[in-house]
């Protein structure tokens, strides 16, 4: 991370935009440099403000107490004004040299006008209030910088790396490479993402998932940067560093939020090139008619639309930070707004509405085949799959101490089944359709009314039996659907690759509005497309085999996404946990941020416009303009900061339940 001198990357408005994707062309003229997060830059500004502010204040005091000592008062005002104005004018000049005309020039010009007319006190006061606003903006809860500093603090700077000789050495976390091995002791936070290679422990992952319940970790478990190791010392192999870690992605998301714009702001952006010249022209006309330089100075200060420009980003940053604390990862920031327009939901069943932890409830071999043989054949093939049915089969085989056979040529067809060769015999395990597609006669089929998920096992073209599975609804599924309805969601649908009987049972229990069973991944997409013709649709899935459907929805929400790249890639929203209540919480957050953005925009525009009129008719003095300009910006900032606490009741409720 490079820290440039204290004014780099700042506009007069002072927003530090650390985002590299931006080209620095917003109305405010914010430079968007990829600078690191640090205190030094805002510290630099605080020094300017303190020294300049004291000098300016001193000049007022001197004038008041020793009115005869004109020179001392003037000198203080002069020095103060120059110290305060320097960072602002410097940025404005740099922008002009770079061929950009933005809002900075308005304030810079107001200050120059005040200096030129010999009113150093006014110049000092204007610059002082502007700088104070800048500092408060970066330091408050709705500021991206502050949010990110809080995240950065979660991941420690140093790590204990295990050398090849088994010695521990202290290194800076930034020096860690992939596949390095580090030791993390109880009470310490993990500096990077990694996999435990030895030891076991419990970990508090609240900083990433928002769930305060500690998670058990043992060998092969993934651990994440910024989470807290609670009970055991573990050796971790580094799997992701820096910006690639989950924590790093959350930071990037917050930076992205800072450059977000609503349509209103985009319109302002488009006309930004005209805004400053228009204001200057009106300023000249005002001067011509009133002859009052004070009116012009006040006009220039108040027409600087900081409040309008900050209306959206401050609210979005606060909302995104609040979401991150709940374990809601907003990959596409535009979807924070979109979420408030969603009217329909489509849920995947297995792993989404149900917990996806299947257990075998029936083993039905055909003919001579034994239960053990059926289990052995199927588990030997399924051990290469991650599908819930596969995990259940392998687990049961292990419990029954059935030895697995060597399988070759494994192939999985998502949403259908798996196949492999076992002792040069071909084995297929999958749903009924998967086998019928291959013209295999199933012999005996399970009764249509059986409410279990069923896979058939075929050995060398010959069906040898079927196995039935069941999982259970997630505890909070019904509550979540109730909350969605209360939020005005009109249609909640379910799509599943499972059998009709199972789907019907789940749909009835949860009072789902419509469902489709026996779906293939494409038919899930078709279902979503059809629903999309009548309303905005959000698709919720567990991310692995629901990727096409997630991408087909207006908005895709992936469940249990912590550590999973696929989910995060295909969805626009990723829930780090499997807690379905995060969905209504996200909708509420989205709506609340919409309300706050609108409040901010209306207030900001009315304020700027009203202030202009008051300045032109000579009611507004430059000092009042500076004070009100700062006040209006702060009102926006603190209004947005109200969002930061949204959803806190959800985590509090969880914490209370534990105790
Ligand atoms: P859902 O839509 O409910 O999440 P999936 O699309 O994951 O279900 O799977 C649909 C059906 O395909 C399952 O019910 C199962 O019968 C079959 N299937 C998918 N993958 C496998 C597998 N690895 N082994 C056996 N059967 C599978
Ligand atoms: Mg699924």
């Amino acid at each position: 991370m490079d820290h440039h001198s204290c004014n780099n990357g700042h506009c007069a408005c002072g927003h530090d935009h650390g985002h590299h994707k931006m080209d620095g062309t917003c109305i405010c003229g914010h430079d968007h440099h990829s600078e690191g997060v640090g205190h030094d830059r805002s510290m630099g500004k605080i020094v300017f403000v303190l020294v300049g502010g004291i000098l300016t204040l001193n000049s007022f005091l001197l004038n008041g107490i020793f009115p005869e000592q004109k020179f001392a008062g003037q000198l203080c005002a002069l020095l103060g004004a120059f110290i305060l104005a320097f960072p602002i004018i410097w940025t404005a000049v740099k922008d002009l040299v770079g061929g950009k005309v933005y809002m900075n020039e308005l304030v810079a010009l107001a200050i120059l006008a005040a200096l030129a007319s010999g009113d150093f006190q006014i110049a000092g006061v204007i610059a002082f209030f502007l700088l104070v606003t800048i500092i408060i903006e970066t330091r408050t809860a709705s500021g991206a910088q502050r949010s990110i500093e809080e995240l950065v603090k979660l991941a420690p700077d140093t790590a204990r790396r295990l050398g090849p000789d088994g010695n521990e050495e202290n290194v800076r976390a930034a020096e860690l490479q992939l596949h390095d091995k580090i030791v993390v002791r109880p009470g310490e936070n993990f500096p990077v993402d990694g996999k435990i290679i030895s030891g076991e422990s419990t970990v508090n992952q609240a900083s990433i998932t928002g769930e305060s319940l500690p998670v058990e970790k043992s060998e092969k478990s993934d651990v994440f940067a910024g989470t807290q190791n609670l009970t055991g010392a573990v050796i971790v192999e580094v799997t992701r560093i820096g910006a690639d870690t989950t924590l790093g992605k959350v930071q990037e998301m917050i930076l992205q939020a800072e450059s977000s714009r609503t349509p209103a702001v985009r319109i302002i952006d488009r006309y930004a090139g005209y805004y400053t010249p228009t204001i200057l022209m009106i300023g000249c006309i005002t001067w011509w008619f009133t002859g009052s330089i004070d009116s012009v100075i006040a006009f220039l200060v108040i027409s600087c639309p900081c409040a309008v420009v900050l209306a959206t980003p401050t609210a979005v940053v606060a909302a995104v930070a609040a979401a991150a604390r709940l374990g809601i990862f907003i990959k596409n920031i535009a979807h924070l707004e979109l979420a408030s327009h969603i009217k329909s939901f489509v849920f995947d069943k297995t792993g989404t509405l149900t917990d996806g932890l299947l257990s075998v409830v029936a083993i039905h071999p055909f003919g001579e085949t034994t239960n053990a043989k059926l289990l052995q054949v199927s588990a030997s093939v399924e051990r290469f799959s991650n599908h819930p049915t596969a995990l259940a089969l392998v687990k049961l085989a292990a419990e029954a101490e059935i030895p697995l056979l060597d399988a070759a040529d494994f192939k999985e067809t998502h949403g259908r089944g798996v196949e492999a060769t076992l002792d040069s015999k071909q084995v297929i395990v999958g749903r009924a359709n998967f086998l019928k597609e291959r013209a295999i006669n199933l012999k005996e089929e399970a009764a249509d009314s059986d409410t279990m998920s069923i896979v058939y096992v075929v050995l060398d073209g010959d069906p040898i039996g079927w196995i039935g599975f069941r999982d259970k609804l997630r505890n909070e599924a019904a509550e979540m659907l109730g909350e969605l309805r209360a939020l005005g969601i009109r249609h909640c649908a379910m799509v599943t690759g499972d059998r009709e009987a199972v789907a019907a049972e789940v749909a009835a229990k949860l009072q789902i509005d419509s469902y489709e069973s026996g779906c293939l991944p494409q038919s899930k997409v078709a279902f979503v497309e059809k629903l999309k013709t009548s309303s905005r649709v959000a698709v919720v899935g567990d991310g692995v085999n629901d990727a096409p459907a997630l991408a087909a929805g207006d908005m895709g929400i992936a469940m249990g996404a912590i550590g999973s790249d696929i989910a995060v890639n295909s969805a626009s929203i990723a829930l780090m946990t499997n807690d379905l209540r995060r969905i209504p919480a996200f909708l509420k957050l989205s709506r609340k941020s919409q309300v706050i953005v609108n409040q901010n925009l209306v207030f900001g525009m009315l304020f700027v416009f009203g202030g202009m009129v008051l300045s032109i008719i000579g009611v507004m003095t430059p000092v009042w303009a500076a004070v009100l300009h700062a006040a209006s910006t702060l009102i926006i900032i603190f209004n947005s900061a109200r969002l930061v606490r949204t959803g806190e009741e959800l985590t509090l409720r969880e914490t209370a339940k534990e105790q």
Side-chain angles (χ1 to χ4, degrees), residues 346 495 516 521-537 539 548-554:
V346 176
V495 288
E516 193 167 305
Q522 317 82 280
S523 35
K524 290 187 183 180
V525 172
F527 186 94
V528 171
E529 296 289 354
K530 206 173 95 213
L531 206 56
K532 257 168 86 176
T533 56
S534 57
S535 65
R536 297 264 172 89
V537 181
V539 180
L550 286 174
D554 290 302

Side-chain angles (χ1 to χ4, degrees), residues 219-444:
E219 258 171 55
K220 296 211 180 101
S221 304
D222 289 319
V223 291
F224 302 95
T227 62
Q228 193 188 13
N229 185 19
L230 293 177
T231 49
V234 288
I235 300 178
V236 173
E237 182 179 338
V238 178
T239 55
R240 279 188 290 229
I241 48 175
D244 291 335
T245 61
T246 306
L247 193 70
K249 287 183 187 146
V250 173
Q251 286 170 23
E252 193 184 330
M253 168 178 89
I254 292 174
L255 283 176
Q256 218 188 329
E258 201 189 21
S259 58
S260 58
R261 293 96 181 278
T262 54
V265 176
R266 267 185 235 117
I267 292 171
I268 302 177
D269 274 358
R270 179 145 11 110
Y271 295 106
Y274 302 104
Y275 186 77
T276 308
T278 311
I279 294 299
L280 289 180
M281 225 163 64
I282 301 176
C284 286
I285 296 170
T286 308
W287 195 13
W288 178 263
F289 279 105
T290 64
S292 154
I293 188 73
D294 274 2
S295 289
V296 178
I297 294 171
F299 176 75
L300 290 178
V301 171
I302 213 86
S303 61
C304 171
C306 275
V308 179
V309 172
L310 286 178
T312 307
T314 51
V316 175
V317 167
V320 161
R325 272 208 278 120
L326 290 172
I328 303 168
F329 182 91
I330 307 172
K331 213 183 84 186
N332 184 344
I333 297 293
H335 285 196
L336 177 65
E337 187 188 343
L338 180 72
S340 58
H341 306 300
I342 294 287
K343 285 284 171 289
S344 306
F345 270 84
V346 176
F347 293 92
D348 165 55
K349 181 185 73 75
T350 323
T352 302
L353 291 175
T354 69
D355 62 10
L357 301 170
L358 269 54
S359 48
V360 176
V361 290
I363 301 187
H364 189 96
F366 301 152
E368 315 280 79
T369 316
T370 61
N371 281 357
K373 178 74 180 165
L374 186 61
L375 201 54
Q376 186 183 41
V377 169
S378 53
S380 300
V381 176
E382 288 281 24
R383 70 167 133 167
F384 303 103
S385 165
N386 264 329
H387 196 267
T389 53
L391 301 181
L393 276 172
V394 173
K395 183 158 166 263
L396 184 65
E399 279 165 10
E401 294 180 4
I402 294 175
L404 298 186
L405 307 170
D406 274 336
D409 307 327
F410 171 81
K411 184 168 163 244
E412 174 153 10
T413 314
H414 285 293
R416 287 181 169 93
V418 294
E419 56 202 294
T421 19
L422 216 62
D423 277 344
S424 70
K425 288 183 193 139
Q426 200 211 19
V427 177
I428 311 176
V429 186
R431 58 199 277 184
N433 271 346
F434 188 46
L435 305 178
K436 285 181 191 158
E437 277 167 17
R438 294 158 177 242
I440 294 169
N441 174 15
L442 293 178
K443 293 203 257 188
E444 302 169 44

